[in-house]
């Protein structure tokens, strides 16, 4: 971690929002198969199950849309704190539910909090992190989601042995604990330095950057440079400030909005939440019909998901965004296709008295289908899981980042809602046909990413104007960006620091000394060309 230890700490604390997101998503998947829950709510059929599951995502859709305004006006930090309280209220209502309507209302309110967190946390993490670790830091959000899923699956499995309504009330109720931990911990976390500059609190932004980048060293060259970049970016953005959501759909932001919406929608069209919401049902159809077997398999699924996210956290800033999702799409598509073919070749449908569908697969097909589900989760967790949240959080200018991300995140929750509503019906009606649909979508997605999505790896947030001012055909525009890097970005003159920064830097006897600048720099004070050369950047992390 080194000098980025403070940044990782702040990113990890805010990632608790992802844990809440993951836990609340995963907790219902196994509860749906608990006998006491089904009995208490009068054995809801597939449509009723779809409504109960999807009302959380309906709340998330509304919450993510409202989060943009809240994050811009009240800060990312306060929005995360507010969302954790709203989430806790929704959980309390679910835990105390006495009928189906109360359960649904509670899930909708909890969804408001989750939707708000899912939009705000990646932006907050993105804005506090330097370019070289931004992918890793924002990926902590996805890793926290997988931990939430993992804990939910195993809490459900443990509580499934309780022979009362506590078997489902306890797993729902314990979510309040991490929500309150998040609220309390965020009190001690800093505000986003970019938000502070945008609200004319430059001094506070300076303090935050010094804490995050240089262990409190206000005079750090890195801190001063980043502060100046942020100030300049905010100044330029204010000249073309977006005043309404409608302006997001006009040139030049329209392209980025479309890409952000598409990548979030495609994450849901991988079918991941069919696996997360209904995998106990799918495991049962695949032959794991003994008591607790499907819940145990779901718990293992959570472990696989969590472990498979680790490589993405460690190496996403090396792999790049485009290659990662292209290979991830290929892996997801192949696993779906193999599972569909294995199921289609051997299924023999029968129905239990309560309407439960059994596919009666051969033993080989059953094992193959289960393995393909786990391989799908691995493919998703190393690619689509983190990148669908990372990409939109880094491509928009500061002044519209919250508004734009509220739109892109809402698209994720809209498709999540639709899939959660119709999946129980499709799983029962067309079985392997649903796998085939997702396989086709994944294969088409490979070409969509290759053709239209530019690479944002190792770019400052203030650099994105360069990436998105060229052709919409990303595969053709790479040459222009490479030429720009070679000609423009390798020539940063230290005189620009003299002119723009509030400090005068003088190179003396191989040591950089920093002194408060006079209002007017002495015209006789010069820096030699040799010393200027020492300040030229060979990294593509900076732009003037």
């Amino acid at each position: 971690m080194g000098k980025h230890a403070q940044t990782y700490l702040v990113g990890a604390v805010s990632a608790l929002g992802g844990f809440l997101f993951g836990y609340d998503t995963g907790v219902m998947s196994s509860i749906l198969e608990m006998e006491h829950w089904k009995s208490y709510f009068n054995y809801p059929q597939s449509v009723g199950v779809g409504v109960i599951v999807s009302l959380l995502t309906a709340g998330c859709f509304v919450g993510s849309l409202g989060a943009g305004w809240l994050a811009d006006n009240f800060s990312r930090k306060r929005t995360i704190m507010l969302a954790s309280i709203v989430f806790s209220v929704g959980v309390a209502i679910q835990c105390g539910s006495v009928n189906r309507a109360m359960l649904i209302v509670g899930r909708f309110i909890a969804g408001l909090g989750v939707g708000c967190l899912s939009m705000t946390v990646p932006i907050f993490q993105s804005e506090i992190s330097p370019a070289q670790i931004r992918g890793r830091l924002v990926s902590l959000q996805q890793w926290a989601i997988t931990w939430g899923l993992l804990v939910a699956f195993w809490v459900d499995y443990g509580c499934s042995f309780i022979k009362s309504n506590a078997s489902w009330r306890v797993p729902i109720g314990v979510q309040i604990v991490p929500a309150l931990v998040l609220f309390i911990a965020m009190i001690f976390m800093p505000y986003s330095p970019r938000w502070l500059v945008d609200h004319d609190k430059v001094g506070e932004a300076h303090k935050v950057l010094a804490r995050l980048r240089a262990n409190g060293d206000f005079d750090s060259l890195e801190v001063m440079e980043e502060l100046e970049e942020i100030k300049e970016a905010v100044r330029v953005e204010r000249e073309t400030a977006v005043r309404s959501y409608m302006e997001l759909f006009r040139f030049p932001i329209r392209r980025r909005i479309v890409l952000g919406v598409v990548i979030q929608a495609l994450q849901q069209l991988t079918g991941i939440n069919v696996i997360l919401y209904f995998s106990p049902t799918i495991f049962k159809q695949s032959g794991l019909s003994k008591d607790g077997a499907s819940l145990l398999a779901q718990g293992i699924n959570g472990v696989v998901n969590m472990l498979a996210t680790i490589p993405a956290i460690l190496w996403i800033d090396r792999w790049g965004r485009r290659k990662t999702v292209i290979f991830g799409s290929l892996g997801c598509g192949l696993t779906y296709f193999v599972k569909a073919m294995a199921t289609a070749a051997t299924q023999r449908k029968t129905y239990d008295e309560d309407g439960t569908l059994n596919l009666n697969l051969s033993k080989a097909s059953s094992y193959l289908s289960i393995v393909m589900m786990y391989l799908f989760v691995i493919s998703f967790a190393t690619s689509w899981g983190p990148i669908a949240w990372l990409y939109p959080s880094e491509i928009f200018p500061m002044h519209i980042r919250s508004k734009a991300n509220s739109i892109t995140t809402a698209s994720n929750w809209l498709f999540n809602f639709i899939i959660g509503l119709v999946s129980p019906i499709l799983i029962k009606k067309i079985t392997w046909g649903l796998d085939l649909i997702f396989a086709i979508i994944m294969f088409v997605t490979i070409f969509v990413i290759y053709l239209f999505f530019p690479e944002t790896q190792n770019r400052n947030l203030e650099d994105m104007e360069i990436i998105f001012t060229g052709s919409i055909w990303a595969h053709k525009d790479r040459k222009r960006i490479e030429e720009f890097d070679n000609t423009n970005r390798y020539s940063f003159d230290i005189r620009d620091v003299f002119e723009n920064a509030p400090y005068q830097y003088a190179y003396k006897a191989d040591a950089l000394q920093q002194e408060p600048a006079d209002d007017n720099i002495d015209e006789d004070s010069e820096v030699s060309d040799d010393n200027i050369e020492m300040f030229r950047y060979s990294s593509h992390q900076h732009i003037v």
Side-chain angles (χ1 to χ4, degrees):
M1 290 187 185
K3 68 176 183 178
H4 298 306
Q6 281 284 329
T7 305
Y8 280 118
L9 173 63
V10 177
V13 168
S14 60
L16 275 173
F19 181 90
L20 299 180
F21 172 7
Y23 189 100
D24 203 46
T25 298
V27 72
M28 283 304 296
S29 63
S30 298
I31 287 176
L32 295 175
E33 294 298 321
M34 291 183 181
E35 184 60 30
H36 286 282
W37 182 86
K38 289 191 287 188
S39 173
Y40 193 86
F41 292 105
N42 299 317
Y43 295 92
Q45 296 301 306
S46 56
V47 174
V49 168
V51 171
I52 292 170
V53 168
S54 60
L55 256 292
L56 172 78
T57 56
C60 292
F61 175 78
V62 176
S64 62
L65 284 176
W69 183 84
L70 289 171
D72 275 344
N73 289 278
F74 297 103
S75 82
R76 284 69 161 126
K77 171 180 171 176
R78 293 190 189 112
T79 302
I80 292 172
M81 294 171 68
L82 175 63
S84 65
I85 296 300
V86 173
F87 175 81
S88 298
V89 172
V91 168
I93 294 173
Q94 290 180 74
C95 187
S97 295
V98 296
N99 53 48
R100 200 181 299 183
M102 190 172 174
L103 178 67
I104 290 172
V105 170
R107 284 184 62 76
F108 182 83
I109 293 174
L112 294 175
V114 171
C116 199
L117 289 168
S118 68
M119 194 290 292
T120 311
V121 169
I123 290 180
F124 180 72
Q125 292 173 324
S126 181
E127 291 183 353
I128 65 169
S129 61
Q132 61 268 31
I133 65 165
R134 187 174 61 249
R136 181 181 300 174
L137 198 70
V138 178
S139 294
L140 287 178
Q141 155 87 345
Q142 179 61 25
W143 200 40
I145 292 172
T146 65
W147 270 105
L149 291 164
L150 171 64
V151 173
F153 294 159
W154 286 105
V155 169
D156 279 347
Y157 179 68
C159 291
S160 67
F161 296 101
I162 301 174
K163 303 304 180 182
S164 69
N165 287 324
S167 62
W168 60 270
R169 292 192 191 275
V170 170
I172 291 175
V174 297
Q175 301 173 85
I176 292 178
V177 175
L180 294 179
V181 170
L182 174 62
F183 176 84
I184 294 170
M186 284 302 297
I187 295 173
F188 304 99
M189 296 298 106
Y191 292 90
S192 160
R194 288 169 169 83
W195 182 86
L196 289 170
V197 172
D198 193 43
H199 286 73
D200 298 317
K201 299 179 180 181
V202 178
E204 291 184 46
H206 190 179
K207 292 179 183 178
V208 172
L209 286 172
R211 170 183 170 182
L212 297 177
R213 303 287 186 269
N215 295 318
D217 182 5
F218 282 73
D219 297 334
S220 165
L221 178 61
E222 178 185 3
V223 169
M224 296 307 304
E225 288 166 355
E226 185 169 355
L227 182 61
E228 289 305 311
E229 287 180 1
I230 295 171
K231 287 166 60 180
E232 177 62 16
V234 169
R235 184 191 66 78
V236 172
E237 289 164 12
R238 283 177 175 174
E239 294 176 357
T240 57
V242 174
R243 302 302 178 188
S244 70
Y245 276 91
M246 290 306 299
E247 293 184 49
L248 296 175
F249 298 95
R250 299 173 185 167
F251 181 85
I253 301 301
R254 180 175 54 221
R255 177 190 177 193
R256 279 178 264 189
I257 284 288
V258 171
L259 293 180
V261 166
V262 168
I263 200 167
Q264 288 277 28
L266 286 174
Q267 188 201 51
Q268 288 305 311
L269 291 174
T270 62
I272 182 60
N273 279 322
V274 176
I275 303 298
L276 298 181
Y277 291 146
F278 305 110
S279 55
T281 301
I282 298 171
F283 282 130
K284 273 190 173 182
Q285 289 183 356
S286 299
L288 298 180
S289 55
K290 293 182 180 180
D291 290 344
S294 63
L295 299 187
L296 179 60
Q298 176 75 322
I300 296 171
N301 194 25
V303 174
V304 171
N305 190 20
M306 183 274 294
L307 292 176
T309 306
I310 295 175
I313 295 173
L314 295 177
W315 298 306
I316 195 169
D317 287 310
R318 296 184 187 178
W319 294 346
R321 285 48 162 161
R322 279 164 53 88
K323 290 179 182 177
T324 302
V325 288
I326 286 173
F327 282 104
S329 299
L330 179 62
C332 292
L334 289 175
T335 55
Y336 271 130
F337 183 78
V338 172
K339 182 175 180 293
M341 294 301 99
T343 304
T346 62
Q347 73 173 17
R348 291 177 292 106
K349 291 183 180 181
T350 60
Y351 295 88
D352 295 338
E353 292 181 0
D354 62 357
T356 301
L357 171 66
N358 297 306
L359 297 181
N360 299 301
L361 300 178
S362 67
K363 183 172 288 189
S365 295
S366 177
Y367 289 154
L368 182 59
S369 295
I370 293 169
V371 169
M372 287 301 107
M373 284 184 64
Y374 288 145
L375 289 178
F376 163 79
V377 170
I378 291 172
S379 298
F380 174 88
T382 55
S383 58
W384 280 100
I387 289 183
W389 298 106
L390 168 62
Y391 199 85
S393 73
E394 63 185 359
I395 64 176
F396 296 105
M398 168 66 212
H399 212 73
I400 64 166
R401 193 168 293 139
S402 290
K403 290 185 177 69
N405 273 273
S406 70
I407 299 295
T408 61
T409 306
S411 76
N412 184 294
W413 290 114
L414 176 61
F415 279 83
N416 194 332
F417 170 77
I418 295 170
I419 289 171
L421 192 62
V422 303
S423 291
I425 302 170
L426 296 180
I427 290 171
K428 193 171 183 177
K429 295 292 185 182
I430 64 175
T431 61
W432 62 270
L434 185 58
D435 293 327
L436 190 59
I437 290 171
F438 284 133
I440 293 170
I441 291 173
M442 287 295 92
F443 293 142
V444 172
T445 294
I446 293 172
F447 297 98
V448 172
I449 298 298
Y450 177 77
L451 293 175
F452 299 109
F453 283 77
E455 181 58 69
T456 58
Q457 175 190 17
N458 289 335
R459 302 281 181 174
N460 283 340
L461 296 181
E462 287 71 34
D463 291 0
M464 295 302 167
E465 298 304 317
I466 299 161
I467 307 300
F468 291 95
T469 53
S471 170
I472 64 170
W473 299 98
H475 69 296
K476 294 181 179 180
D477 201 39
R478 284 184 296 176
K479 185 177 180 180
R480 177 190 66 85
I481 296 172
E482 289 172 0
E483 289 176 351
F484 180 89
D485 286 341
N486 292 333
T487 59
N488 293 58
R489 300 176 70 101
Y490 288 81
S491 181
F492 182 94
D493 197 320
I494 193 61
R495 291 190 182 93
D496 293 317
V497 177
F498 292 168
E499 293 174 2
N500 298 315
Y503 287 88
Q504 176 180 344
Y505 294 86
Y507 197 85
K508 299 178 181 179
D510 298 325
L512 180 63
Q513 298 183 0
Q514 193 176 59
E515 303 170 351
D518 296 327
D519 291 338
N520 297 305
I521 295 176
D522 186 354
E523 294 181 358
D524 295 330
S525 175
E526 295 183 355
V527 178
S528 69
D529 290 340
D530 289 339
N531 289 334
I532 289 171
E533 188 63 30
M534 297 185 69
F535 286 90
R536 293 188 183 278
Y537 285 95
S538 60
S539 167
H540 62 288
Q541 301 297 323
H542 301 274
I543 179 173
V544 177

